[in-house]
Amino acid sequence: MSIYEHFRHDEKEWIDQVLEWRSYVEDTYAPKKTDFLDPRQQTILRSVIGKNGDVEVTFFGGQSHTERKRAILSPDYMTPSSEDYDITLWNIDYPQKFVNLEHREILGSLMGLGLKREKFGDILMDTSKGIIQFYACKEVSDYLSLNFQQVGRNKIKLEELPLEKAIVKAEDGSEKQITSSSLRLDAVISQVVPFSRQKVQQWIQQGNVKVNWKLVEQTSFECKEGDTLSIRGFGRITIKIIEGQTKKGKTRLTVILQKS
């Protein structure tokens, strides 16, 4: 059976990249570090590499509960340290008495610098104290220092901090066990939100649902482990584990719910 049969058609390119990295580590006995990966990419990478080969994969995003993480593929006799992931923590100094910055504004301004989303990790915010921080790949530090000088129309100053100075991020959302008639997008969402499946289908068809940050308008779209479902006006659902079927043929899942 082909490895691609376990994944979506549009994930083939990512799987090919993972296989290429694995071959590199096997052939050179040298580690390979990735950019920041979303939860679905992490799931695929972990699945493709497996646990019983000569190559192992580990993840780190700056602290234990970050959503986006860098990965290191390495020979099984190596144990990467946190420093090996080359992650930089940045603090954003802004006129907090006069300005309220939002997550989307910060991410939008970072993306406006011309860098890929994969170069940035989680954005950390403590609005009660006016503290905003974010993680980034170390290799773009000089570029950020020179070019990231404002969010929207607001002037900012960047300060690089040690990782231990980060806002402590609590584990996102609440964990919940659900059973669904299938792994269809509408079926899974309707088991989490307090609305009917018909209402959920309308949300999807109206363009209010994204899967792994991509718009999905097909109610029959099949969910997989590691998927993040973003629902406009409600929040996000991350499929942590697909646990198998019940005696009645329903699918048992563990999800993490983050309300907006």
Side-chain angles (χ1 to χ4, degrees), residues 97-110:
K97 288 185 178 180
F98 310 103
V99 176
N100 291 318
L101 298 182
E102 297 183 2
H103 186 285
R104 60 180 178 83
E105 294 177 299
I106 298 161
L107 181 57
S109 296
L110 286 170

Side-chain angles (χ1 to χ4, degrees), residues 92 109-110 113 134 143-144 146-151 156 158:
I92 298 177
S109 296
L110 286 170
L113 298 176
F134 68 95
Y143 187 85
L144 285 172
L146 291 171
N147 295 282
F148 191 37
Q149 300 175 351
Q150 64 183 60
V151 174
I156 64 163
L158 277 188

Side-chain angles (χ1 to χ4, degrees), residues 88-184:
T88 303
L89 174 69
W90 294 96
N91 185 75
I92 298 177
D93 184 14
Y94 67 102
Q96 50 190 272
K97 288 185 178 180
F98 310 103
V99 176
N100 291 318
L101 298 182
E102 297 183 2
H103 186 285
R104 60 180 178 83
E105 294 177 299
I106 298 161
L107 181 57
S109 296
L110 286 170
M111 297 298 292
L113 298 176
L115 295 171
K116 298 187 301 180
R117 176 66 180 97
E118 291 81 2
K119 293 299 180 183
F120 306 110
D122 286 15
I123 297 172
L124 313 173
M125 305 183 71
D126 185 339
T127 54
S128 65
K129 297 179 180 179
I131 300 174
I132 301 176
Q133 302 171 345
F134 68 95
Y135 294 109
C137 295
K138 189 174 183 179
E139 56 266 28
V140 298
S141 292
D142 290 343
Y143 187 85
L144 285 172
S145 296
L146 291 171
N147 295 282
F148 191 37
Q149 300 175 351
Q150 64 183 60
V151 174
R153 297 180 179 179
N154 303 294
K155 296 291 184 180
I156 64 163
K157 292 182 180 179
L158 277 188
E159 179 187 6
E160 184 176 342
L161 298 176
L163 294 184
E164 58 266 24
K165 295 293 185 179
I167 300 170
V168 177
K169 183 172 183 178
E171 188 168 7
D172 283 340
S174 57
E175 193 170 292
K176 183 177 181 180
Q177 277 75 41
I178 65 170
T179 55
S180 177
S181 59
S182 72
L183 288 172
R184 282 175 52 121

Side-chain angles (χ1 to χ4, degrees), residues 231-247:
I231 308 161
R232 185 181 300 168
F234 183 81
R236 294 193 295 178
I237 301 165
T238 300
I239 300 177
K240 183 177 180 181
I241 304 171
I242 297 176
E243 300 178 5
Q245 290 194 324
T246 67
K247 292 180 179 179

Side-chain angles (χ1 to χ4, degrees), residues 248-260:
K248 294 184 177 180
K250 291 190 174 184
T251 302
R252 186 183 297 109
L253 308 91
T254 298
V255 301
I256 298 173
L257 173 63
Q258 298 170 260
K259 292 188 177 180
S260 57

Side-chain angles (χ1 to χ4, degrees), residues 223-236:
C223 297
K224 293 186 179 294
E225 194 167 285
D227 280 345
T228 297
L229 320 179
S230 306
I231 308 161
R232 185 181 300 168
F234 183 81
R236 294 193 295 178

